[in-house]
Amino acid sequence: MDAITGTAAGVPFTALPPSGTGNDRAPLIVTWHMLDAPRTDAAFAAALPMAGVPSWRVHLGMPLCGPRMVDGSLDRHLELAREDILLAYLGPIVHQAVEEFPAALAELRRQLPVDDQPIGILGASLGGAVALQVLTAPPTPIGTVALVNPAVRVSAAVELLATGLDQPYLWTAESRRAADDLDFVDRAGELSGEPPLLLVSGERDHPALREDAFSLVKALRGRYARPDEIELATVPDLAHPLADEPRLEPAPQLPTTAAVDGVLTRWFVRRFATQ
């Protein structure tokens, strides 16, 4: 399986071609990776290749990551986090990724032989917040959604990062408003179209993230006309990252990540078969 690398409207990507479809046009899945390992589009593609899915899997690079790292290092991440975890770091990354998606998607459709059916989207950790924000006003019909250890409420990610930096976060009225804008439990009613949604939660993920994940599943099941379209899968022994640190480059799958890959593969194969 040969990866295709490039840029779409300035966004770097790693694309994996569909399996078993010859030269025909195929469905499209777009992903956003985490800021933990694997923290680049190429490394994320290697961690979760979903090789058995007969679709294009296009892994978009997040802002400040991969080819867009400042001076090729993670130092700028730390600088911004120390300046203001939410207002200077996490929030701008999410909003830039969402804002640049429509143009990137349009360019991907020109570059790759993808079909016209509703796309799938996948987000992990902070990339999960991107996927959910996209779902509030999607630029194209979305047929299915998957989330892996997602940052469902960015406030939880802020507190976790503050603990890691040993730097308590000083909440302000502005940062509270920014956090409310990225609280997808409270905003569950704004998610568009009721697409089938799979949430994969690691058994050893941060308790706060797991609690928020369960809350999102409960909220969506309470709103969907077909609650069984919302699925929750817990992966034993899986912590928050999907690869060993620092994981900027592709590497073989960890056993727990291979388990996640299997869950996602089965989900997308089933969902594209029913579209």
Side-chain angles (χ1 to χ4, degrees):
M1 177 173 52
D2 294 328
I4 298 171
T5 60
T7 60
V11 180
F13 69 82
T14 299
L16 301 178
S19 61
T21 57
N23 296 319
D24 295 335
R25 291 183 174 271
L28 173 64
I29 299 170
V30 176
T31 86
W32 293 272
H33 59 80
M34 43 187 19
L35 299 188
D36 293 277
R39 52 175 52 88
T40 67
D41 52 293
F44 195 69
L48 297 177
M50 298 177 284
V53 182
S55 72
W56 284 94
R57 286 92 64 218
V58 177
H59 304 274
L60 296 181
M62 293 276 275
L64 287 179
C65 297
R68 294 195 281 183
M69 287 190 300
V70 177
D71 297 328
S73 78
L74 297 170
D75 292 347
R76 185 58 176 156
H77 288 251
L78 185 58
E79 292 172 5
L80 292 172
R82 290 197 179 280
E83 177 183 337
D84 189 304
I85 293 171
L86 178 53
L87 298 180
Y89 184 47
L90 299 183
I93 286 177
V94 171
H95 292 303
Q96 181 181 336
V98 172
E99 289 166 4
E100 64 193 17
F101 177 52
L105 176 62
E107 181 61 28
L108 288 171
R109 290 191 180 281
R110 287 190 286 270
Q111 292 188 34
L112 301 174
V114 299
D115 64 23
D116 295 326
Q117 69 174 293
I119 69 170
I121 60 174
L122 162 65
S125 192
L126 195 68
V130 175
L132 288 166
Q133 182 71 3
V134 164
L135 195 56
T136 65
T140 192
I142 293 176
T144 186
V145 180
L147 307 168
V148 180
N149 288 347
V152 167
R153 284 183 166 126
V154 78
S155 57
V158 169
E159 295 293 354
L160 288 168
L161 186 50
T163 299
L165 293 173
D166 194 24
Q167 179 180 310
Y169 189 69
L170 302 178
W171 289 95
T172 65
E174 182 183 5
S175 61
R176 290 287 182 193
R177 288 192 296 270
D180 288 344
D181 186 52
L182 295 174
D183 182 336
F184 296 101
V185 177
D186 285 352
R187 295 184 63 199
E190 300 178 41
L191 302 182
S192 177
E194 298 193 4
L197 184 146
L198 168 69
L199 198 154
V200 181
S201 180
E203 184 180 54
R204 294 175 48 228
D205 193 9
H206 303 292
L209 296 186
R210 280 178 59 77
E211 181 178 346
D212 290 345
F214 300 154
S215 295
L216 177 63
V217 167
K218 181 179 179 181
L220 291 177
R221 284 176 175 167
R223 292 178 177 277
Y224 268 45
R226 296 181 59 185
D228 60 344
E229 296 276 62
I230 305 297
E231 295 189 19
L232 174 65
T234 297
V235 175
D237 297 323
L238 178 67
H240 188 71
L242 299 173
D244 293 329
E245 292 290 344
R247 201 46 62 218
L248 300 172
E249 301 297 333
Q253 287 179 321
L254 299 176
T256 50
T257 310
V260 175
D261 190 52
V263 171
L264 294 171
T265 296
R266 291 187 291 273
W267 169 263
F268 282 114
V269 166
R270 176 158 54 96
R271 288 302 171 181
F272 279 123
T274 59
Q275 285 188 16

